[in-house]
Amino acid sequence: MARWIADWHPDDPAFWESSGKRVARRNLIFSIVAEHLGFTVWTLWSIVATRLGSYEFATDQLFWLVALPNLIGSVLRVPYTFGPARFGGRNFTVVSALLLLIPAVLLGVAVNQPGTPYWMFLVIAALAGVGGGNFASSMANITYFYPRHKQGVALGLNAAGGNIGVSSVQLVMPLVIGSLGLAAAGWFWIPFIVVAAGCAWLFMDNLTSAKADPREQLAVAGKAQTWIMSFLYIGTFGSFIGYSTAFPLLSQSLFPGAPYAAVAFAGPLIGSLIRPVGGWLADRLGGAPVTLWNFAAMGGGVLIVWTAAGSGNFWLFFLAFQILFLTSGIGNGSTYRMIPAIFQAKAVAERGEGEEALLYGKRQASAAIGIISAVGALGGFLINRAFGMSFAAAGTPGPALLAFCAFYACCFALTWWCYTRKVGVRVVASLAHARV
């Protein structure tokens, strides 16, 4: 029987301390478990692609296999966002977890057949995109469980728990494949997926307050803030997932024989663990200032990686890349903290103070998360395609890295103009006054 909670007021301090905090924490824990498994399936191909040498695919073809799950996952994030509001957060978490079984099983079957054609690998890689959709539904759901002043840390923990799935894949899979063969890359995760779905069914809740009119939710697509934050999220999460999935194949292409498989997990782990710190800093300093200077650091980091890529030294390249993981992780936390803050500030400006305005702002933010996370995840596709095209055209990742640096400069300028600028606000308004 479906479990629904009708009386939910997290912004009421008495309610929060008496019962809300305990329920929210329980839902957060099992949301993280399911989302973690989503990320593992989504990013499996970052390791699998480096183990397909017997198929003699070109480097650009291999980058397509890594990029395609990112593309499909980003598209699925839009409908997945509306899932918790339509079916209930608990119910949708169960279904979305069970869908992960499809690409896991197909991968295990395909790599056992030496004659599997390239197009079939593309199909299976695309199906792995369902794991990317889980992030949007999970984040949209958890938004409703926490009061505004705790959303930065809560969303950061939820996202970090999922993001660590990338690190899990890159740490565990080389060991599993080395011991059990490439097919185990799919079979290994099946029992964990079943357990995650079972835990969601037994321990999570649906909120009636999360119910929303789909037309009301889709209305956020017409708001400028949705698309501004989407652009910025390409720069933060898009960078994280793009660099995480590209690093093993990029290292293999630049430094053949280097021990990249033994250390590839480190960057995604750093980026995942630092994400809640980005949310924590944003709660205290404001998401916009943290995001602004983080983009400046990312631009500098790319230039360092560009220099290290031509050095011939794998370890210098590896250490330089950790700057990008560190800064993209901080930016993930700070930009996600900005989303509810922006839409709740707008709701209060339009509807005045009060619980109704806060709930309306949360619904708007929850819907916007789907679009923002979908567009942001496209960065994972774009980064892998940029590296593939760069190698095809120039034989190096240099042109792609310089393009990334220019993009971060644009993100810095946009953040300043929209969210921290205090000059000329009488002519063109900004949200600097709201400390988003």
Side-chain angles (χ1 to χ4, degrees), residues 250 300-310 317 320-324 401:
L250 182 63
V302 167
L303 293 178
I304 295 173
V305 169
W306 178 54
T307 302
F317 176 75
F321 229 95
Q322 304 318 296
I323 299 172
L324 297 182
L401 290 168

Side-chain angles (χ1 to χ4, degrees), residues 46-71:
S46 66
I47 295 298
V48 172
T50 67
R51 304 302 179 101
L52 296 176
S54 62
Y55 291 90
E56 298 184 351
F57 297 142
T59 299
D60 193 35
Q61 286 180 302
L62 293 174
F63 269 114
W64 262 114
L65 292 174
V66 179
L68 203 53
N70 288 294
L71 176 62

Side-chain angles (χ1 to χ4, degrees), residues 69 83 140 170 202 220 246 259 280 312 410:
Q170 297 182 347
L202 293 171
V220 299
W280 178 80
C410 293

